[in-house]
Amino acid sequence: MTTLRTSLSCSAALLLVLLAVSSAMATAPAQVAPAYADARDYPTPGEGWARFRAVEAQLVRGFDYICGDTFCEGEYSNLQALRFRCSVAVATGRVQACAWTFTGSTAWVDTGSGGIDVDARTWTCPTPLAAGTSLELLLHTLEQAGDKALHVPLPGTTVSIYDGLTDCL
């Protein structure tokens, strides 16, 4: 009889634990999939990395080529491209936004103290994309342009990434 009571007590306790756990799981908030992803992680984490980095490298080469005659003539003559990033709607593959970051500095000697004064800046330049541009079309356009990727009109527009930089740097 004692064994039967102990078994029933253990069974009842186990049932209560299972009910509590299932009740807690039922009321826990569901994990929501993110609405947007980094283009390097679209369509799955890491899958777009190589392709996106190749396009970014084309853009950096283009910037380095024209920098001395354009953006790098002024106060910040050592501008460096940092990162080109795009966000993509996971459900549709449409680009939400792209931005390219840059840094530059100027330095001079304080002739009174002998110290070095530095003015360092960063810029975040938005890319002038048409609404609803697919990541596939954007990457294809930039890939096909090769060394001219900086100057090719962006899909659905008459402007290029270069045009966006002139408004920013």
Side-chain angles (χ1 to χ4, degrees):
M1 183 73 135
T2 304
T3 305
L4 182 58
R5 266 192 225 144
T6 304
S7 287
L8 288 176
S9 295
C10 287
S11 296
L14 181 59
L15 181 60
L16 287 175
V17 168
L18 288 174
L19 285 173
V21 168
S22 65
S23 174
M25 289 174 68
T27 59
Q31 292 289 339
V32 177
Y36 296 95
D38 188 314
R40 296 166 194 220
D41 291 328
Y42 183 82
T44 61
E47 189 172 333
W49 191 87
R51 188 175 183 201
F52 196 88
R53 287 288 290 161
V55 165
E56 182 181 35
Q58 283 178 245
L59 293 172
V60 170
R61 280 192 302 276
F63 180 80
D64 289 345
Y65 181 76
I66 57 109
C67 186
D69 295 330
T70 56
F71 305 110
C72 298
E73 286 186 329
E75 187 175 352
Y76 302 97
S77 61
N78 63 347
L79 287 175
Q80 295 291 311
L82 296 176
R83 282 282 178 236
F84 181 66
R85 284 289 172 88
C86 296
S87 62
V88 181
V90 173
T92 64
R94 305 278 180 210
V95 178
Q96 175 67 20
C98 293
W100 199 357
T101 55
F102 295 84
T103 190
S105 67
T106 187
W108 60 94
V109 173
D110 182 326
T111 57
S113 70
I116 307 296
D117 291 328
V118 176
D119 179 15
R121 289 202 48 201
T122 59
W123 292 263
T124 302
C125 301
T127 303
L129 294 171
T133 300
S134 74
L135 178 62
E136 177 59 36
L137 181 57
L138 175 63
L139 293 177
H140 178 75
T141 300
L142 297 174
E143 288 166 338
Q144 293 304 305
D147 291 341
K148 305 287 185 204
L150 192 60
H151 299 284
V152 68
L154 296 167
T157 76
T158 59
V159 296
S160 66
I161 292 176
Y162 176 86
D163 294 323
L165 297 181
T166 62
D167 293 337
C168 179
L169 298 175

